[in-house]
Amino acid sequence: MNQSLLTRERRLGMYRKMLLCRMFEDRVNSLFLQGRMPGTIHQAQGQEASAVGVCEALQVGDMLTSTHRPHEHAVARGIPVKFLMAELFAKSTGCCHGKGGSMHMGDAELGMLPAIAIVGGGVPLAAGYALSFKYLKKPSVAACFFGDGAVNQGVFHETINMAAIWDLPVVFVCENNKYGASTVIDSVMKVKTVSARASAYGIPGKTVDGNDVFEVYRATLEAADRARTGQGPTLLELETYRFAGHSRSDPGHYRSKEEVAAWKKRDPIVRFETDALSSGLLTEPEIVDYRASVEAELNDAVAFAESSPSPLAEECLTDVYAE
Amino acid sequence: MKHVIILPDLGQTTSEARIVSWLKNSGDKVAMGEPLLEVETDKATMYLEAYVGGYLRKKLASEGEIVTATNPVAIVTDTPDESFEEEAEARPASAVPAAKPLSVTGTATVVSEPVAAVPAARALARQLGIDLKRISGSGPGRLITSADVERFASRRESPAVAVSTGQENGPLLAMAALTSSSKSSIPHFYVTVDLDVSAAEAWRSRWNETHPHLRASVNDCLVRAASAALAESPRLNVRVTNGKYEQHKAADVLLVAGADSGLSLVPLSDPHAGEFEPYLGRINEALGAAREGKVRQASGAVRPVLAVSNLGMYGVKEFAAIIPPGCSSILAIGAIRDQLVLRKGEVETIKVCSVTLSADHRVVDGIAAAQFLERMQFHLNSL
């Protein structure tokens, strides 16, 4: 897109967010390998442009739903990393008071519903938020992330159809990373793109390079504008790739080394840095500074998390039902 | 600086993984994120990456070894030549709070090296007569849990586990620990047949007429036939312990006997060997000791893979038993009953006894179980 429409600060802000996403995931992996962090995790290294591009196009008051792979979504939505880190350490200072963990990251007050790990589970919730915005005449939109594994779920079709007939202010964002766990998308979908499905519901559908943060941002902004102005939902498909396996227990042997290497060449952060260096947006020393500042932020987050108290046994039943 | 690389909890259904191969040699430089070794879990083979860059100085687990999650597998140092403490203590910074030393109340004597264990594990170990120092804990900071005690109890070499603790629920606790460990770790399967014991009954009657002071029961015949069949069934005479297969030659049998205080497990070496008379002497002595609750110390050499349990005397038609730890199968014997059969157009009455073999499917398959039962029938016919 024409980047000049965005201020320098805005573009660099997107860069730092992507770095924060990536380095957060790398740190979490390291903590996991050291046995300092409990539980299993689904990591999203490689999908930073998708998370950041979408979230940058959202406003205060908008609502985001997420998936079993929510870390980068939460970081990109702007939930402070110390609260996310504390959640992963199961500490009471975490965004879900330490009771949600990796697969339920989020904070509704900060515009992200704690993630739903059930495949496609966040999709109808986003439509529900959109319905409430429309009903209450709020100028907000709901956006929902889901993976390619969700697009053959019944709830996906039912929700988009309903959102379409009611012109609900929702942006459906499919992060197509080609694999639903170990199942390659081509083996379970006859059409070539997820966005092609949009025509069946009579809404716009678009496939976007999900590893280009500006492309993602522009497409989401357009879709959000449509939604905000009462024109109904849009189905976006962001083509991206996760560098890691489906989860910590997945070595990803079902993907060829060549395929992984080809996608690593399209690493959204490396691409950004390469373009930014050639256009003069960034210099090498500035990149080093950015990384150091993110590193420091993560150090603080880990220290905060490790020194935070665990939830008390008496709190076992709080946060269970809405009051 | 020294960094201890641990096997992380890989989020599988078990917390153990087997070291398949090392991808680096001692002294090699490793980059952060570089795979150090290949491990195999119950689901997949995967790489374990170094969470820190440096030099691989010491491998703490060898290829083929099974490692439990959070245990150390390697030591990496920042520089190639720095000296380091070889001791790989349990990870210091834990995701879960480290176990605080438990305060000892009452009349406990001062122990030089306190062992960290949860109170329930201490109680269970006391009941089972197990020294906590012999158990490695799987909890945070190597804290010993009840599950660790149960696992240890089930792996104890001696199958004679009749427990006399002076407390009434001692044997019950032992039974609880052993059966739950066994049933949850051994994939049981069951094969049931009706054995024709007519010939054995007839043989026994003749024996008892001539040996009024050393009478034989059908159970004695069944145990001897089972042992004889086991001697001919190498595919059944195997067991798996700590991930290793063991082939056995001796056809020892573990008798599950009722004792006043609960169940008693009595090993009997090669019941099919030798003449019937000394065999009867041995089995009577063993069962008598078990009934009286005397703890029989099994000699280290007798470690049966086959157990035999009999509820026929209570009129039970058939039942399936839980394999005792250390064994790979158990034969459950039901009551002897009359059955009408059609032979060459004639209706005949025969004596039948239903038996069910529970076997460990990690090492025994259905064919091996069926062939064993077939051989048992053969030996019952040729007593």
Side-chain angles (χ1 to χ4, degrees), chain A residues 29-30 32-38 40 89 91 248-251 253 306, chain B residues 6 8-12 44-51 91 93-95:
Chain A
N29 186 36
S30 165
F32 177 85
L33 287 173
Q34 293 172 60
R36 287 162 72 182
M37 183 172 281
T40 191
F89 274 95
K91 295 301 181 70
R248 272 304 318 174
S249 52
D250 170 23
H253 291 327
E306 288 197 310
Chain B
I6 61 151
D9 188 337
L10 297 162
Q12 307 280 17
T45 302
M46 53 205 298
Y47 296 121
L48 176 59
E49 307 130 38
Y51 70 85
R91 62 212 160 89
S94 171

Side-chain angles (χ1 to χ4, degrees), chain A residues 11-27 45-49 51-52 72 75-76 81 213 267-270 272-273 282-298:
Chain A
R11 283 180 281 160
L12 290 176
M14 287 159 110
Y15 168 62
R16 191 179 188 283
K17 273 238 172 99
M18 288 205 291
L19 264 188
L20 189 58
C21 287
R22 171 70 57 86
M23 290 168 72
F24 180 87
E25 289 288 51
D26 286 344
R27 178 66 69 94
Q45 286 98 328
Q47 303 186 181
E48 292 78 13
V52 172
E72 294 196 343
V75 173
V81 286
V213 68
D267 183 326
I269 293 172
V270 173
F272 187 105
E273 288 173 346
L282 272 176
T283 62
E284 293 274 8
E286 281 173 329
I287 289 178
V288 173
D289 287 349
Y290 269 110
R291 288 182 179 264
S293 106
V294 169
E295 196 74 40
E297 187 175 346
L298 290 170

